[in-house]
Amino acid sequence: MNRPPEAYMHIGIVQFMLHPDLQSGDGPAVEAAEALAADGFFHALEIARINDPAQRAAMRRLAEAAHLTLGYGAHPLILSGGLNLASADAAARGDAVSQVKGAIDEAAELGITMVTLLDGPNSAPAPGGEEAAVESVVESLTELCDYAGRQNIWIALEQFDRAIEKNSLLGPIDLCVRVSEMVRASTPNFGLCLDLSHLPLLDEDPPTSIRAAGEHLIQAHIGNCIMSDRDHPQYGDQHPVFGDPAGENDVPELTAYLKTLMEIGYFERDLPTPMPLVSFEMKPAPDQSADAIIGNCKRTFQLAWAQV
């Protein structure tokens, strides 16, 4: 591969995972973004809710000044609120849809064209309840896509684990593709986000899942997870650094992931973002700094890209 990665993608980073203290929406999001905005390696920054309107305006100005693409993750809102877009309880599901619509409004205010979300924590149904849950989540996602489409925003559904930590309905790739087909039947501004760090938690082979997602894939996240050591402080969906001795992903796995994205034509897609996104999602351990994590991301990507 003799072309630089920026010829194919915008490399991003998920800010609210790198700085978990920002997930409430009240932290210094703009200040934390300054260093990333000045770093030419990154072309995209995925942020979460910012409660202060003045700070939202400042974030938009910063992104425009730095020529940085912004994405929006509704995950902190959904996870902290225990929202469930697949709930059998109509009132609870209606509340979840309403709150996510508020996040879409905020994204529009920031000039963002893609909002990423999950169906909800602990949304995996009891035995025999999957079909009803699928009907509910399709109804929710269709309503959200219709609402987002009026503001030229797309919705990306990120798959999460079924039994390790988040216990979400929409984890297995075959089910995610089925739901995407159902939502797209009436609202085309929808697709899937596959996260390299979540696929081992689902007992899925990343290249196989990427191929199964096919043209439904509109966003890619990259990271690591811990499955082999239950006593590890970052066991489960806690996004440790690449190369953690107990981790599932490092340079070989990232190389295979990027090669498969290339194979399915992901980098040639006409998406709502200026370029297809590939964003790091990595969380510092208590004894790790954000700067060290950023260095890990860059080195791992460079080593993998040299083999693509």
Side-chain angles (χ1 to χ4, degrees):
M1 181 67 60
N2 53 21
R3 297 181 69 193
E6 54 265 31
Y8 298 88
M9 72 192 86
H10 277 173
I11 300 174
I13 195 162
V14 177
Q15 186 192 42
F16 57 86
M17 189 62 72
L18 184 66
H19 298 284
D21 57 312
L22 300 177
Q23 294 184 11
S24 68
D26 291 325
V30 178
E31 180 181 340
E34 288 280 359
L36 292 167
D39 188 336
F41 183 85
F42 297 102
H43 290 79
L45 181 67
E46 296 188 34
I47 64 172
R49 55 188 170 182
I50 300 175
N51 296 331
D52 181 359
Q55 286 293 296
R56 291 200 293 271
M59 179 66 82
R60 179 166 184 165
R61 290 195 300 272
L62 173 64
E64 290 171 347
H67 214 312
L68 190 68
T69 298
L70 291 179
Y72 189 104
H75 309 68
L77 171 70
I78 292 170
L79 292 170
S80 66
L83 306 182
N84 184 358
L85 296 171
S87 178
D89 183 320
R93 191 165 62 82
D95 177 61
V97 169
S98 177
Q99 291 198 50
V100 175
K101 284 181 178 178
I104 292 169
D105 290 339
E106 189 173 306
E109 184 181 338
L110 285 153
I112 290 170
T113 58
M114 187 180 292
V115 171
T116 311
L117 48 73
L118 72 157
D119 58 304
N122 302 313
S123 58
E130 183 169 292
E131 284 307 308
V134 167
E135 289 181 11
S136 292
V137 80
V138 167
E139 185 175 338
S140 296
L141 293 170
T142 301
E143 182 176 347
L144 289 171
C145 286
D146 180 68
Y147 186 82
R150 298 174 212 161
Q151 304 185 72
N152 297 314
I153 291 174
W154 282 45
I155 300 294
L157 183 283
E158 185 171 358
Q159 58 172 182
F160 277 76
D161 69 87
R162 262 290 182 93
I164 304 294
E165 186 173 317
K166 299 302 191 295
N167 306 311
S168 294
L169 166 69
L170 296 179
I173 187 59
D174 290 345
L175 180 59
C176 290
V177 169
R178 180 184 164 209
V179 165
S180 183
E181 289 172 343
M182 295 168 74
V183 174
R184 283 184 165 192
S186 58
T187 49
N189 56 320
F190 181 79
L192 302 178
C193 171
L194 266 61
D195 190 329
L196 177 61
S197 61
H198 294 164
L199 293 168
L201 300 174
L202 288 158
D203 195 27
E204 293 191 354
D205 171 65
T208 301
S209 292
I210 292 171
R211 294 184 188 106
E215 51 91 17
H216 294 274
L217 184 64
I218 63 170
Q219 189 179 26
H221 282 176
I222 49 180
N224 196 8
C225 68
I226 306 291
M227 289 188 65
S228 62
D229 182 1
R230 290 180 175 272
D231 295 324
H232 193 289
Q234 288 183 290
Y235 171 77
D237 185 27
Q238 292 299 310
H239 295 268
V241 293
F242 282 115
D244 188 296
E248 299 294 322
N249 296 324
D250 201 355
V251 173
E253 291 75 21
L254 179 56
T255 301
Y257 186 87
L258 293 170
K259 283 183 175 179
T260 313
L261 291 178
M262 188 77 70
E263 172 193 316
I264 69 165
Y266 173 69
F267 299 123
E268 301 167 14
R269 300 215 170 131
D270 183 15
L271 297 173
T273 48
M275 295 280 283
L277 297 183
V278 175
S279 294
F280 288 95
E281 192 167 359
M282 201 161 285
K283 180 180 180 181
D287 62 345
Q288 295 170 343
S289 69
D291 286 345
I293 298 302
I294 290 169
N296 178 291
C297 292
K298 290 180 177 180
R299 294 183 189 96
T300 306
F301 187 91
Q302 289 163 344
L303 289 169
W305 187 251
Q307 300 177 58
V308 173

